[in-house]
Amino acid sequence: MSYPRESIKETLLQRGVSRRDFLKFCTLMAGALAMPKEVAGLIDRALASARRTPVVWLELQDCAGCSEAFLRSSNPTAAEIVLDVLSVDYHETIMAAAGKQAEEAKAATIKAGGYLLVVEGSVSLGDDGVYCCIGGRSSEDLLREAAANAVAVIAVGNCATFGGIPKASPNPTQAVGVMDIITDKPVLNIPGCPLNPVNLTATVVHYLTFGALPEMDKLHRPLFAFGQLIHNNCERRGHFDAGEFVWAWGDAGHRAGWCLYKMGCKGPMSFHNCPTVRYNDGTSWPIGAGHPCIGCSEPGFWDVPTYEPIKLQDYLPPSSYPQVGSEAQKPITAEGAALTGGAVGVIVGAALAFGYAVMTNRAKGISPEVNTKEAGEGEHEESHPE
Ligand code: SF4
């Protein structure tokens, strides 16, 4: 099989992407990779010489949400780089070819070698793999064949990385992630439900620029995207620190953008760059839209009750949750807020976060008393949306 001779940069320019937009893309990628903006020049030069890399994209036990997320991204970024500019020789959902013709294209790519294998969906091992077969072959069989000559395997979405929803208890299909099957070559995990397309694009750009996969954590996740707790970069963190929580959907705190910890937010235990990269080309993200994080970048998240608060002491040092003690299990009262404000005001720098939050809320005309009223007598259970 022969591949186009144009470099990735040439291909993008031929497609009408301006040089200015291309440079913006390189800068965006440097930022996504958590590298200094000077690296953008390096990416520019690498993409100017890098030839289009063949990609085989397998879909196993999944909902196609990761492919959907990719197709919905715009600009000369994620979708074009990975789906157009690279040579996607096989993708069950979006390829024009079907049946024998499609299988032949995949076989030719596998035989030629040197391709990236992207896998979406979990592998079904139960009852000889009968629960997920394509063309009469099991998902495990198809994965092993496609991985054999790949230079690297990139698992996308929580299903392919950690088993996802198919693996949720009682796991009737005996679903597993890609790294449970492929152990003889590099497997990089980009979890999420769905994955963030920027993270896959940045991984591919890193591979093309530096000739290697990015540095990973012990769960095979790239550190540039999964090296920080969501909680550490969350825009509602000031409210967490000030003890300002949402207690019920639509209450005053919810309308004001307060912390969603009491509504089951898994941000304090989840590693992901959602708060900085966001979804839909940086438009928004779950917490930004008012929903608690469900921890979709972590293994087994489907077996963790979505709206049940986690035990902070299992994940964070005590110094990071000053307001979440026994007293803070209650919604804030006006007196409590005043007292806390006074006390914190005496204590050195911690007053800044609290004072800022209180001032912001006053400016918005939000009274903590309204929150108390809506939440009943202060017991968390009573204020639960159910
Ligand atoms: S608990 Fe959730 S909403 Fe609150 S600051 Fe942490 S990540 Fe943000």
Side-chain angles (χ1 to χ4, degrees), residues 90 102-112 145:
Y90 186 87
E103 294 306 311
E104 282 175 359
K106 184 175 74 169
T109 304
I110 291 173
K111 189 174 174 195
E145 176 197 59

Side-chain angles (χ1 to χ4, degrees), residues 229-241 244-245 258-262 264-268 275 285 287 291-293 312 316:
L229 275 176
I230 286 177
H231 186 65
N232 289 351
N233 292 313
C234 179
E235 63 216 28
R236 299 183 187 225
R237 177 61 186 269
H239 296 296
F240 174 90
D241 291 343
E244 295 178 331
F245 300 110
W258 285 5
C259 172
L260 293 155
Y261 167 69
K262 301 290 184 187
C265 184
K266 306 297 184 291
W285 64 301
I287 288 176
H291 194 280
C293 165
L312 283 179
L316 300 176

Side-chain angles (χ1 to χ4, degrees), residues 141-166:
D141 188 19
L142 292 167
L143 172 62
R144 289 191 188 280
E145 176 197 59
N149 291 338
V151 291
V153 182
I154 304 175
V156 298
N158 198 287
C159 296
T161 53
F162 307 131
I165 195 167

Side-chain angles (χ1 to χ4, degrees), residues 288-359:
H291 194 280
C293 165
I294 59 174
C296 69
S297 59
E298 300 298 320
F301 85 97
W302 283 109
D303 288 326
V304 179
T306 303
Y307 298 117
E308 200 168 285
I310 57 172
K311 284 186 185 159
L312 283 179
Q313 57 267 39
D314 291 346
Y315 303 100
L316 300 176
S319 59
S320 67
Y321 48 95
Q323 299 280 332
V324 193
S326 54
E327 277 306 301
Q329 292 298 314
K330 302 172 183 174
I332 301 169
T333 62
E335 296 80 3
L339 276 173
T340 309
V344 173
V346 183
I347 303 168
V348 207
L352 289 173
F354 184 85
Y356 173 77
V358 169
M359 282 167 59

